[in-house]
Amino acid sequence: METIYNIETLNQRIQLLENRQDEEWCAIKDEIDDIKENLKPLNLIRNTIEEINETVGFKGNIAQSAISIGIGYLAKRFVVGKTDSTVKNIFGTLLQLVVTKLVSKKEDPSDDDEHEESKQYEPSRE
């Protein structure tokens, strides 16, 4: 490290170090946000399913659908359990459908780009 002999150079060095510290804090905060996102229950389930598919070698949508339906069924049984109540059964079925849909939904960033491009090129109605 070079020796600093005047106040102006010292102040410049301090400013550079403060800017570097701010950038590093922003990077840390972004990393924490990513970790929080990955630890959400739905994302944990999705990541686990993807790992199972890769490990076992499932390539088709049939395996993904079967696993999604199974997780939806387990969610229904876990929350509602066995009951004779019609209202609880309806609620459980709706819960099962929602969980199955959420787990089976694939996140494809290219889909978002295609939707944005189609919005940009829509002809104007006059």
Side-chain angles (χ1 to χ4, degrees):
M1 187 176 274
E2 68 183 68
T3 306
I4 300 173
Y5 292 106
N6 60 32
I7 293 179
E8 184 178 323
T9 308
L10 177 63
N11 286 334
Q12 289 174 354
R13 176 71 78 169
I14 290 171
Q15 187 63 42
L16 286 173
L17 291 173
E18 286 176 348
N19 290 343
R20 181 176 167 191
Q21 183 182 24
D22 289 342
E23 290 173 5
E24 289 175 356
W25 272 112
C26 287
I28 290 171
K29 288 177 185 177
D30 290 342
E31 187 68 27
I32 289 172
D33 289 341
D34 289 343
I35 291 170
K36 283 182 188 177
E37 186 67 27
N38 287 331
L39 290 177
K40 288 182 179 179
L42 185 60
N43 290 332
L44 285 173
I45 292 170
R46 262 195 209 133
N47 293 338
T48 303
I49 290 172
E50 288 174 5
E51 288 178 17
I52 289 171
N53 284 343
E54 289 174 6
T55 302
V56 177
F58 290 127
K59 298 287 182 185
N61 290 333
I62 296 172
Q64 179 72 27
S65 298
I67 292 171
S68 299
I69 291 169
I71 290 174
Y73 178 78
L74 290 175
K76 175 183 175 183
R77 287 292 163 214
F78 180 72
V79 172
V80 177
K82 291 190 176 191
T83 182
D84 292 329
S85 171
T86 305
V87 174
K88 285 185 178 180
N89 280 330
I90 292 172
F91 171 74
T93 303
L94 290 175
L95 175 69
Q96 180 179 353
L97 289 171
V98 168
V99 170
T100 301
K101 180 71 176 172
L102 289 174
V103 171
S104 67
K105 185 192 298 185
K106 292 184 178 179
E107 295 183 20
D108 189 7
S110 64
D111 288 345
D112 294 337
D113 294 340
E114 290 173 7
H115 293 299
E116 288 176 12
E117 289 176 4
S118 65
K119 289 178 185 177
Q120 291 175 356
Y121 297 113
E122 280 185 8
S124 61
R125 296 180 186 174
E126 294 180 11

